[in-house]
Amino acid sequence: MLAAALERIVGVSHVLTRPPALLVYRSDGLPGHRALPSLAVFPGTRDEVIRVMRVLAETGTPFVARGAGTGLSGGALADGVVLLGLHRLKGILALDLDARTATVEPGVVNATLSRAVAPHGLHYAPDPSSQSACTIGGNIAENAGGPHCLKYGVTLDHVVRATVVLPDGEVMTLDRGEGTGYDLLGAFVGSEGCFGVVLDVTVRLTPIPEAVITLLADFTAVRAAADATSRIIAAGILPAALELMDQATIEAVESSVYAAGYPRDAAAVLLAEVDGAVAGLEEDAVAIERLCREAGARAVRVARDATERARLWQGRKKAFGAMGRVAPHLVVQDAVVPRTRLADLLEEIQAIGARHQIRVCNVFHAGDGNLHPNIPYDAEDPEASARVAQAMSEIMHRCIAVGGTITGEHGVGLDKLDYMPSLFSGETLDAMCTLRDVFDPARRANPGKVVPVRSCREWLVAPAARPTAPTPARLEARP
Amino acid sequence: MMATAETPRPAPHHAPASAEALAALVRTAGHEGRRLRIHGAGGWLDAGHPVDATDVVTTMAMTGITAYTPADLTLSCGAGTTLAELDAATRAQGQWCPLLPWGDDAGTVGATAATATAGPFATRLGQPSALVLGLECVDGTGRVIQAGGRVVKNVAGFDLTRLMIGAWGTVGIITQLHLRLRARPPVDRTFVLSAAAAATAEVTTFARGPSAPLALLAMDRDATWPSTLGVRPTPMDPSMRRWLVRVGGDAPFVSAAVDALARLGRLEEMDGATAWPLVRRHAAPRATPHQWRWDPLSLRLRDRFDPQRVLNPGLLGTV
């Protein structure tokens, strides 16, 4: 019934209903969460998206929007509800070189946009590690970050305007308010697909820096690398990026096809980059080198050319992939702590890992205090999975205890739902539900994500807007 | 007719010292049908519409810096903390919170955020929204909300912080803020640049380029403000233009930028510490009365967070 209505809009070949075909959409970038949509629909034009959304609204159907599915929070999983894939909308609609903005459709891949505007000396600054695959629409939903967000800011800092279709089918243009309205775009960006679907978005483009210097500092102790980070930040230097990788990560990267030439015997490396005007840049690099050495760096190497810089960065950006060599699955965690607490936290993380006999690989945005403790494991082994889950929970609660947060850029999705009540009061979670109701009173968009259901007072009164869904367990039991 | 003859009774004033006390006040107001006019130091009272209030609430009793770790470049303070206090505390550490809005430093951090008042440096150093990491507020139903956090990167939950910034206290009353700080530039110089009008495009290009200054303001747009700086009035020569320009960064950067500016026109160095507070006070772009967009989404927002219209009723129009 619904499938037929959707097929009339997008064509038969762009609606999937059979479970084997839907298996592709069973997980996102985190293998620990799996759920099968009831149906997947892939509109190819803006008009088709609007018409699909209106059919979903008329039939009261819950849905989950999805870009490239590279998310790391389980946020793009549709558990027995409709999956709305937006990757076919790949148009770069307008380029305003004077205003330095681009208007793009949600399915445009992050790196594709940067490549398209590079001939004009511009790039799109937010650079999540998945940038060669992830979409701008997904970036908006997650308020995505990336290594260079230390200097350039996260997705929200680069979004000017968005035309969205709300869950009830209404089309609206949102902006930052600018003195004549509420910052509805600020609320929308990072709402993890719970507030509506982007039809087009105007993003700010950033000039490609005049000059770049990339350094690799090599430490014999993780504490020293974390200490160097704190010193650089405290000194008032604002690097374009400041990334820390520990021994376990270095080992995984150097054993893989992404080998970057990191010193295999180092306890940690710091990948630091400064960019901007030529004048003064060398001084910043020299200062970073001095601060690293003062913190105990064994050696500091400067990338000689663009090729060496690209190689150093490839190791960092492909580190998650490289961990595929270590174990079949990977928990990618995402938490933020005050930058002065990094060294202590890293030691505690190692201790927690040792206690649960798991290997924690740290690769993260040190300059922001944005930790990514990753654990390679085998998701099919229930005993190992339980130990991993327990260790992660302990790590997250330590991050909360020192004044941090449970996600810096990956979002809450499904994965971090349980930590929300530890971080926010009941009244605050309730206010988040109120905000969700402003955009989606029927709560049909990405149901069950971001804010735990029990936090929504009204949810307990109103019937859940979610049909009975086949459980993932039952689906997995199929031959 | 009778009513006009009466002496109007002054509206009761409240200065709650905590979010909890404010929440109790808001809940009571909701029950009793009272309506609150909310302000900080009282510098931004006029948004172009009269407020229909029975009571006045100031955030000035929620003041002071409550947490400051200079090495983290983050600071927490009460909404009633003045910009002057914030500046003094951070200056002592070689840092600043570059809100530096148009107006007076007697204004409060809370009001700056609530009105999203930017200043001449916002383009380079960040709009108010980008400098607030999190905040505590009380909404129109009396809920105490802890939005965002204290760390520099955070996407946990829906963004209630951005919602409160620039909402003029009609969604919630900000009581506490967690701010992002930056290191003050080690070298910080201010000049009047006089250049041929024909060079305007080059000046603009410079301001958007890799050596971009902290601020570059055309001094000709309002004839009164050069005199507030004690500089000679704008020359009548229509072929000339003047800009006030502030260049900040490390020594080599500033030196290169100043050289580039000198190639565009004549530079006259000013005392920035004196000039910029004067500029912020006297050269603010003229405020226009709000034509607030009350689209269905914005109306629903107001309805859900302040159903009784306790917070600043009328300030943004009749809603």
Side-chain angles (χ1 to χ4, degrees):
Chain A
M1 200 48 191
L2 178 65
L6 296 174
E7 280 169 3
R8 274 195 296 278
I9 299 170
V10 302
V12 178
S13 58
H14 297 299
V15 176
L16 304 179
T17 52
R18 292 172 45 244
L22 293 166
L23 269 180
V24 178
Y25 305 98
R26 189 174 64 151
S27 67
D28 60 8
L30 269 194
H33 299 277
R34 294 171 197 177
L36 213 56
S38 60
L39 173 161
V41 55
F42 305 101
T45 66
R46 168 198 185 91
D47 182 53
E48 287 180 6
V49 177
I50 297 168
R51 286 163 64 202
V52 165
M53 288 289 281
R54 289 186 177 159
V55 166
L56 296 176
E58 282 156 19
T59 52
T61 309
F63 66 94
V64 178
R66 181 174 171 122
T70 56
L72 293 167
S73 65
L77 297 201
D79 188 355
V81 300
V82 168
L83 185 135
L84 173 60
L86 295 153
H87 62 268
R88 291 179 63 212
L89 285 97
K90 318 174 176 301
I92 296 178
L93 304 176
L95 204 54
D96 184 338
L97 295 177
D98 192 48
R100 287 182 188 151
T101 61
T103 302
V104 304
E105 290 188 317
V108 170
V109 169
N110 177 300
T112 303
L113 174 58
S114 277
R115 262 201 308 278
V117 299
H120 307 289
L122 299 169
H123 74 300
Y124 178 62
D127 61 337
S129 292
S130 56
Q131 70 186 128
S132 56
C134 65
T135 64
I136 299 290
N139 292 174
I140 301 290
E142 301 300 313
N143 193 10
H148 289 81
C149 292
L150 174 59
K151 175 174 176 180
Y152 291 99
V154 293
T155 299
L156 179 60
D157 298 310
H158 300 270
V159 181
V160 180
R161 197 176 323 110
T163 310
V164 305
V165 49
L166 299 178
D168 66 4
E170 195 193 340
V171 175
M172 272 201 66
T173 299
L174 308 180
D175 65 20
R176 299 300 309 273
E178 282 124 41
T180 59
Y182 295 122
D183 186 359
L184 297 174
L185 184 57
F188 188 92
V189 173
S191 60
E192 303 195 31
C194 295
F195 289 4
V197 170
V198 172
L199 294 171
D200 66 61
V201 56
T202 300
V203 297
R204 204 163 276 131
L205 302 171
T206 306
I208 295 171
E210 203 172 82
V212 183
I213 302 175
T214 309
L215 304 96
L216 187 78
D218 162 356
F219 295 87
T220 53
V222 176
R223 175 168 275 279
D227 186 34
T229 302
S230 299
R231 286 176 194 231
I232 291 165
I233 297 300
I237 299 169
L238 185 55
L242 189 55
E243 301 283 308
L244 194 154
M245 282 166 275
D246 69 2
Q247 210 280 324
T249 304
I250 295 169
E251 183 56 38
V253 169
E254 290 305 309
S255 305
S256 76
V257 291
Y258 307 120
Y262 302 150
R264 292 184 93 128
D265 60 340
V269 292
L270 262 189
L271 182 60
E273 189 159 280
V274 288
D275 70 11
V278 175
L281 203 62
E282 188 65 41
E283 284 74 5
D284 279 350
V286 168
I288 289 174
E289 177 169 355
R290 177 175 50 78
L291 292 164
C292 285
R293 287 191 191 279
E294 282 172 12
R298 184 168 62 169
V300 181
R301 193 172 114 199
V302 178
R304 284 177 307 257
D305 52 29
T307 313
E308 191 177 354
R309 172 176 313 117
R311 190 157 174 252
L312 289 176
W313 271 111
Q314 171 173 276
R316 163 63 187 89
K317 293 216 170 182
K318 301 291 187 189
F320 293 178
M323 287 168 199
R325 288 179 53 83
V326 181
H329 300 108
L330 182 69
V331 174
V332 179
Q333 205 38 285
D334 174 38
V336 187
V337 297
R339 292 170 283 200
T340 48
R341 303 304 302 270
L342 271 178
D344 292 345
L345 251 297
L346 285 169
E347 277 179 6
E348 289 187 46
I349 288 170
Q350 285 315 318
I352 291 167
R355 205 159 55 238
H356 295 282
Q357 297 150 33
I358 51 164
R359 185 182 170 94
V360 184
C361 306
N362 287 291
V363 43
F364 64 96
H365 314 307
D368 286 319
N370 189 178
L371 294 163
H372 290 318
N374 301 323
I375 305 179
Y377 75 115
D378 181 356
E380 311 300 333
D381 176 350
E383 191 273 333
S385 298
R387 277 189 285 122
V388 168
Q390 180 58 33
M392 274 305 174
S393 168
E394 289 178 24
I395 289 170
M396 295 304 271
H397 283 107
R398 281 306 301 154
C399 292
I400 295 171
V402 300
T405 188
I406 57 170
T407 172
E409 55 183 15
H410 294 173
V412 174
L414 277 178
D415 195 54
K416 300 193 177 66
L417 217 44
D418 290 346
Y419 303 119
M420 289 290 279
S422 307
L423 189 62
F424 294 111
S425 69
E427 284 192 322
T428 303
L429 292 173
D430 194 53
M432 288 183 188
C433 293
T434 304
L435 181 55
R436 174 183 233 155
D437 287 345
V438 169
F439 284 87
D440 180 21
R443 292 191 181 155
R444 289 185 299 105
N446 215 354
K449 310 280 174 59
V450 187
V451 180
V453 171
R454 62 182 173 280
S455 302
C456 296
R457 267 188 259 167
E458 290 163 41
W459 186 295
L460 299 174
V461 181
R466 194 164 160 238
T468 21
T471 66
R474 210 171 74 212
L475 288 165
E476 286 190 3
R478 276 183 200 170
Chain B
M1 280 298 134
M2 289 288 284
T4 53
E6 282 176 23
T7 313
R9 246 181 303 163
H13 272 64
H14 310 271
S18 70
E20 288 68 29
L22 176 61
L25 186 68
V26 168
R27 281 194 297 269
T28 307
H31 291 143
E32 297 178 356
R34 298 218 305 275
R35 303 172 302 281
L36 309 179
R37 175 71 181 102
I38 303 131
H39 65 75
W44 280 293
L45 286 179
D46 186 13
H49 298 285
V51 177
D52 167 32
T54 56
D55 294 51
V56 176
V57 177
T58 173
T59 57
M60 291 302 282
M62 293 179 283
T63 186
I65 288 160
T66 50
Y68 180 19
T69 312
D72 279 329
L73 289 161
T74 58
L75 178 149
S76 302
C77 65
T81 307
T82 64
L83 296 165
E85 282 174 74
L86 178 64
D87 191 67
T90 52
R91 184 185 295 274
Q93 301 290 335
Q95 299 178 347
W96 61 358
C97 180
L99 281 169
L100 307 168
W102 298 111
D104 205 286
D105 274 350
T108 65
V109 178
T112 305
T115 58
T117 305
F121 314 110
T123 307
R124 265 302 305 282
L125 298 174
Q127 301 287 333
S129 174
L131 296 169
V132 180
L133 303 168
L135 51 83
E136 178 192 67
C137 64
V138 173
D139 78 350
T141 67
R143 285 184 297 204
V144 178
I145 299 168
Q146 308 283 346
R150 296 163 186 255
V151 284
V152 297
K153 211 170 167 193
N154 189 0
V155 295
F158 300 129
D159 196 337
L160 297 161
T161 306
R162 255 34 69 185
L163 194 64
M164 300 296 162
I165 295 172
W168 290 78
T170 62
V171 181
I173 307 168
I174 300 171
T175 53
Q176 175 103 207
L177 296 105
H178 311 300
L179 302 172
R180 179 197 294 278
L181 306 181
R182 299 204 185 280
R184 274 175 196 268
V187 183
D188 183 351
R189 298 174 69 184
T190 295
F191 301 91
V192 172
L193 167 69
S194 309
T200 300
E202 283 171 72
V203 172
T204 312
T205 304
F206 168 80
R208 285 159 53 98
S211 306
L214 298 179
L216 182 129
L217 297 183
M219 294 175 70
D220 305 87
R221 62 178 180 179
D222 181 339
T224 62
W225 78 268
S227 61
T228 67
L229 293 178
V231 301
R232 290 180 304 281
T234 304
M236 291 309 290
D237 181 351
S239 70
M240 294 297 286
R241 291 278 183 279
R242 297 206 298 181
W243 291 268
L244 189 68
V245 50
R246 182 172 185 176
V247 185
D250 55 20
F253 175 88
V254 171
S255 156
V258 171
D259 288 350
L261 281 167
R263 285 192 291 274
L264 294 170
R266 192 169 55 82
L267 289 178
E268 181 190 348
E269 186 143 15
M270 306 284 294
D271 173 17
T274 313
W276 287 106
L278 286 170
V279 169
R280 284 172 46 216
R281 204 171 311 149
H282 299 295
R286 198 180 303 281
T288 49
H290 281 292
Q291 294 294 321
W292 204 257
R293 281 191 320 251
W294 286 113
D295 53 59
L297 208 54
S298 301
L299 274 172
R300 207 146 64 210
L301 181 64
R302 180 89 163 114
D303 280 340
R304 294 281 188 161
F305 282 89
D306 184 17
Q308 310 283 329
R309 299 292 191 269
V310 174
L311 311 180
N312 279 340
L315 181 68
L316 302 177
T318 48
V319 179

